[in-house]
Amino acid sequence: MVRFFSSQSFLAIYSGCLTVVFAVTVLAGFARPWSGNASFDQITVRRMNVVEPDGTVRLVISDKAEFPGLYLHGKEIKRADRQDSAGMLFVNDEGTEDGGLIYGASKDAGNGPSSFSHLSFDQYDQDQTLVLGASLEDGKKASGVTVNDVGAYVITPEFIADAERVKAMPNGAERSAAWAKLNVKYPSAAERGFFGRQKDDSVRVSLRDTAGHVRAVLMVKADGEPALDFLDGAGKVTREISGNK
């Protein structure tokens, strides 16, 4: 018996049994759903998805390379124009995009520094209705808050495909005509109000009608002069009240 326990056959069987027990233990650990909490001093990731117990994505935090496309009712639709910034994507209870935060900055030789930040919140199954943004380009600074009206239609995969097709067209009359046709089928968002700093160094409040036409502007110009302008539907100033009058 002692000779058997020291034999090569016993050692091979013993080793095999240990391997099987170890494999079962590891697999059982992976199969068991994680139900505890963990604390980390630091975690480094390229992308993090926050999900509900049923797997519905609710928040994505990502670098540029892994930034997601558009989420519509639990399905992700690729978007080529979302590869230039890192940030966060908000997703509602139904798995549809509900706004987000993107940002970026760079300094190119000969062009100087540029930067942008964009925080937005969307209407249900539609586009952004509230936007907080800031930018720097060619030495010109702008920042402000924008309130939009969006279309009554629902954003669908077909709408995204149509928009991406037009975006991919070369600039010119044909592309402009395609955009005009697309806007008839899917009316674009209309800006209703804006408060912020403009690239001409003025600060202003701009109010628009339901068609997006500017109807009233309260501003302080770059030279410090205050002014209040009223405009008609064609954009013509019908009355101006200046702080110097």
Side-chain angles (χ1 to χ4, degrees), residues 82-151:
R82 285 192 169 176
Q83 299 176 349
D84 64 344
S85 60
M88 304 170 63
L89 190 68
F90 310 141
V91 184
N92 68 16
D93 293 1
E94 299 177 355
T96 297
E97 183 175 326
D98 203 26
L101 167 67
I102 58 174
Y103 55 90
S106 62
K107 187 175 183 181
D108 300 325
N111 294 325
S114 64
S115 64
F116 67 92
S117 302
H118 179 100
L119 173 64
S120 64
F121 301 94
D122 297 348
Q123 181 175 296
Y124 177 80
D125 271 353
Q126 247 295 335
D127 207 349
Q128 53 201 25
T129 56
L130 178 63
V131 180
L132 174 64
S135 66
L136 170 64
E137 187 175 3
D138 296 327
K140 301 293 185 179
K141 296 177 288 185
S143 58
V145 179
T146 304
V147 177
N148 298 320
D149 278 348
V150 295

Side-chain angles (χ1 to χ4, degrees), residues 17-245:
C17 289
L18 285 181
T19 301
V20 171
V21 171
F22 176 76
V24 170
T25 302
V26 171
L27 291 175
F30 278 116
R32 186 187 307 120
W34 174 256
S35 59
N37 296 317
S39 297
F40 302 93
D41 292 329
Q42 187 177 112
I43 182 170
T44 300
V45 298
R46 293 179 58 186
R47 172 170 164 169
M48 180 169 64
N49 300 329
V50 178
V51 302
E52 297 290 354
D54 64 359
T56 301
V57 176
R58 295 302 308 276
L59 174 69
V60 179
I61 304 174
S62 178
D63 63 5
K64 287 198 304 183
E66 301 293 331
F67 201 82
L70 172 69
Y71 279 97
L72 282 178
H73 297 283
K75 296 182 179 180
E76 183 180 353
I77 300 175
K78 298 298 182 180
R79 286 185 53 174
D81 61 342
R82 285 192 169 176
Q83 299 176 349
D84 64 344
S85 60
M88 304 170 63
L89 190 68
F90 310 141
V91 184
N92 68 16
D93 293 1
E94 299 177 355
T96 297
E97 183 175 326
D98 203 26
L101 167 67
I102 58 174
Y103 55 90
S106 62
K107 187 175 183 181
D108 300 325
N111 294 325
S114 64
S115 64
F116 67 92
S117 302
H118 179 100
L119 173 64
S120 64
F121 301 94
D122 297 348
Q123 181 175 296
Y124 177 80
D125 271 353
Q126 247 295 335
D127 207 349
Q128 53 201 25
T129 56
L130 178 63
V131 180
L132 174 64
S135 66
L136 170 64
E137 187 175 3
D138 296 327
K140 301 293 185 179
K141 296 177 288 185
S143 58
V145 179
T146 304
V147 177
N148 298 320
D149 278 348
V150 295
Y153 58 91
V154 172
I155 290 181
T156 63
E158 291 74 23
F159 165 77
I160 298 298
D162 285 345
E164 292 296 326
R165 175 182 56 81
V166 177
K167 286 180 182 179
M169 296 173 63
N171 290 327
E174 186 176 352
R175 186 174 188 266
S176 298
W179 271 125
K181 184 178 180 180
L182 190 68
N183 283 332
V184 171
K185 185 177 181 180
Y186 305 106
S188 58
E191 182 180 315
R192 296 301 307 278
F194 172 82
F195 166 69
R197 185 190 194 284
Q198 302 281 48
K199 291 183 178 181
D200 62 2
D201 294 335
S202 68
V203 62
R204 64 183 61 195
V205 176
S206 175
L207 305 177
R208 300 172 180 248
D209 59 25
T210 55
H213 302 133
V214 178
R215 302 305 300 268
V217 178
L218 173 63
M219 75 182 83
V220 175
K221 301 177 182 179
D223 61 6
E225 178 189 356
L228 173 60
D229 291 346
F230 297 94
L231 303 90
D232 61 21
K236 180 181 178 181
V237 177
T238 57
R239 185 181 180 190
E240 180 178 3
I241 302 174
S242 172
N244 294 336
K245 295 181 181 179

